[in-house]
Each structure stands twice: as C-alpha cells, then as structure tokens.
Amino acid sequence: MRVLIADDHRLIIEGVKLKLRELGDDVQFVEAETVKELHQRLEESPQPDVALIDMAMPGAEGVEHIKAAVAAMRDPDDDTGSRGRPVIVLSGTEDPSAIRHVLGLGVQGYIPKSSPPDVILNAVRLVVGGGIYVPPEAMKSAAATVTPTFSFSHANDGLTTKERLATVLTDRQIDVLKLLAKGRPNKLIARELQISEGTVKIHLAAIFRALHVRNRLEALVAAQHLGD
C-alpha cells in the first residue's frame, strides 16, 4: 500500500508514518511538505492508494489543494462517478463547520491532529476499507441540527424511530440509509444492494428530502438511529 502524507510539520509526518506502519509490512510512504510538492507527488506513477493531506500547507489557497487532490485521485478512465482513491484531511482545525465543508468536497475522512494515534490508524483502516470517517466533533454538531427535524412532531405516537422512518422512507431507502450509517460510499452501497450507482443517488436524494437534511453527513447522523 502506497500512502501519501502531505504536511509541513516534520514531526507530524514522522509520527503518522510510525503509526501507519501497523497497516502492514507492504506500506510505502510518499511525502510532501508544500502544495507544490503535493501536486508533484499526485502526478507521479504509481499514484498513492490513500492520501492524508493537511488543510493548511505552504502554498495553500483555501481548500483548492484538497479539491485538486480529490480530482487527481480519481481514475480518469472511470466514468461511473465512483469516488476514486481515498483522500483524508489531517488538520489542526476542529471547527465543525469547517469539517462539514471539507467533507462536502468529496474527501473520505477528516482526522483532527489532536486525535490519539490509535484513532488515526483506525480511521485510515476504515477509509481504506471503503468507509467514511467523520470525527465525533462534526457528528455532534450535525446532530444538534438534524435531531429536531428527524424526530418528527409525533414524539408520543408510540412508534420507535425506526418505525417512524418507515412512514416516510421505502424499504429500499432504509437499506441505503443503513449502509450509509456504516460509512459506505455510493459504489459499495450499489454493490451490496445489487443496484446501479445512479439508483443509489436517486434514493439518497429522496432520503435527504424526507429527513429534511442537506447532505450525507446530516443523513449519516440521522442514520445512526437505525442501528444494525
């Protein structure tokens, strides 16, 4: 596995490398300390299998380097809309609104630099395995927004949250929501349910409308109520 770590702090790079060596004996590391070096590493062959990128690096203009990395890690010959090789943001910023914004760019994870080493390792494992890592800070913030609308206005109707979901979602949409709760990207949801990615996107749009949420993160928060 080829892992790209892009950060302008040598201590961060070495610390992350030390922990991610536990991913396996075949792990190889590629480094970048500036945005210019990041672009160079992304143009090299073979490409990284996963990229961890600092949000504030020398040469950064907002989050343009993150957008560029997400685009660069996609397979140019793949027109299915799949997410491509995963990009994870590794940042010192823990502001929930910033986290939600970056997740909306198409990255598959956001790891605060204050996270314990084991959290970083497990987050990378989750993402490499096809999931999406959302830090608790963002989940709590999104929950504060989502829960009031998600719980509906019939708190005393005697129904469980799952039963209320069944009143606004189809069985297939609930299946999609369950897999979303497990961090599955569209491609894996489609594969597990044996439907097309286009159909998954249609179901997600209907779920967003039904639950009065705006994006995957807020839908993911709502989905936590489903359980297994």
Side-chain angles (χ1 to χ4, degrees):
M1 181 189 301
R2 192 174 176 86
V3 179
L4 168 62
I5 304 174
D7 195 288
D8 60 322
H9 293 93
R10 175 51 51 181
L11 185 61
I12 294 293
I13 290 178
E14 294 301 328
V16 173
K17 284 169 60 177
L18 180 64
K19 192 61 184 178
L20 294 190
R21 285 194 176 94
E22 296 182 31
L23 289 171
D25 295 335
D26 63 337
V27 175
Q28 298 178 343
F29 294 101
V30 183
E31 303 171 11
E33 296 187 19
T34 67
V35 168
K36 181 179 179 180
E37 290 180 1
L38 169 62
H39 292 322
Q40 292 173 342
R41 298 292 89 79
L42 291 171
E43 291 173 358
E44 294 173 351
S45 182
Q47 270 198 327
D49 296 296
V50 58
L52 287 80
I53 304 174
D54 186 11
M55 195 156 60
M57 297 178 63
E61 297 180 1
V63 293
E64 291 304 312
H65 65 299
I66 303 296
K67 293 180 183 179
V70 171
M73 294 282 275
R74 289 198 182 103
D75 184 347
D77 298 322
D78 185 352
D79 58 0
T80 64
S82 63
R83 69 179 190 168
R85 295 180 178 87
V87 174
I88 302 171
V89 169
L90 183 64
S91 176
T93 300
E94 299 186 29
D95 176 44
S97 62
I99 295 173
R100 291 196 300 272
H101 175 65
V102 172
L103 288 170
L105 301 179
V107 304
Q108 282 76 57
Y110 189 108
I111 306 176
K113 289 183 179 179
S114 61
S115 302
D118 284 339
V119 170
I120 295 175
L121 175 63
N122 290 330
V124 173
R125 280 176 171 157
L126 172 66
V127 170
V128 170
I132 299 174
Y133 179 75
V134 181
E137 295 87 346
M139 292 292 289
K140 291 176 182 178
S141 175
T145 301
V146 173
T147 302
T149 54
F150 175 70
S151 60
F152 305 102
S153 58
H154 308 292
N156 298 319
D157 58 9
L159 299 177
T160 65
T161 300
K162 188 172 182 179
E163 289 170 337
R164 290 194 194 105
L165 275 176
T167 67
V168 294
L169 300 178
T170 66
D171 289 343
R172 180 56 88 193
Q173 288 165 357
I174 291 177
D175 289 339
V176 170
L177 192 56
K178 284 182 177 180
L179 292 175
L180 182 69
K182 295 179 180 179
R184 301 290 198 277
N186 290 0
K187 187 174 184 177
L188 291 185
I189 292 175
R191 184 180 302 168
E192 292 196 32
L193 298 181
Q194 297 184 332
I195 57 179
S196 70
E197 285 192 64
T199 301
V200 171
K201 292 178 182 178
I202 292 172
H203 284 317
L204 286 174
I207 290 168
F208 293 172
R209 289 194 300 270
L211 300 185
H212 306 290
V213 298
R214 298 163 294 180
N215 51 49
R216 291 176 72 94
L217 175 57
E218 293 182 357
L220 193 151
V221 172
Q224 303 304 314
H225 296 271
L226 278 172
D228 294 328

